[in-house]
Amino acid sequence: MTMEQLSRLQKIPIMELRREELSDADEVVIDTSKSLNQRVQSFFRQMKNPFAQNVGEYILQIGYAEGVQETLDDRMVQLVRKQTTVM
């Protein structure tokens, strides 16, 4: 997959994504005994769009923000706190 193709896939608005054009999250298998490079290559071979996938009845779109210091774990803690506050 070229950088141009990746850029185009990343820019697709979530409302324009079609389920039939996405991989199912539960079907993507990564062999953790392989090297990092081999795992990344395997991921890209299995994904139709590495920025979006089917997760159950939902479409999950992944994005990245440049210059952010928070980790994914930090964001997950924030999400849980928000959800417990709303409930």
Side-chain angles (χ1 to χ4, degrees):
M1 193 170 290
T2 67
M3 292 303 290
E4 186 176 301
Q5 290 170 316
L6 283 173
S7 179
R8 190 174 61 247
L9 290 171
Q10 185 179 21
K11 293 176 183 175
I12 299 173
I14 194 166
M15 297 306 288
E16 293 179 17
L17 293 169
R18 292 202 235 144
R19 295 181 65 74
E20 62 274 3
E21 295 176 359
L22 302 174
S23 301
D24 291 322
D26 58 350
E27 294 177 2
V28 176
V29 178
I30 304 296
D31 183 350
T32 57
S33 68
K34 303 285 185 180
S35 71
L36 175 61
N37 188 37
Q38 291 171 319
R39 288 181 292 190
V40 170
Q41 288 177 15
S42 174
F43 175 78
F44 279 106
R45 277 194 303 274
Q46 295 177 69
M47 297 298 292
K48 296 175 183 174
N49 180 340
F51 300 101
Q53 57 189 291
N54 293 311
V55 180
E57 62 184 77
Y58 300 100
I59 292 177
L60 173 66
Q61 188 173 41
I62 301 164
Y64 303 95
E66 292 185 33
V68 175
Q69 299 299 317
E70 295 171 313
T71 66
L72 180 58
D73 289 338
D74 295 336
R75 290 295 190 144
M76 294 303 290
V77 168
Q78 289 176 9
L79 176 63
V80 170
R81 285 184 179 149
K82 278 185 180 179
Q83 288 180 334
T84 56
T85 302
V86 171
M87 296 177 164

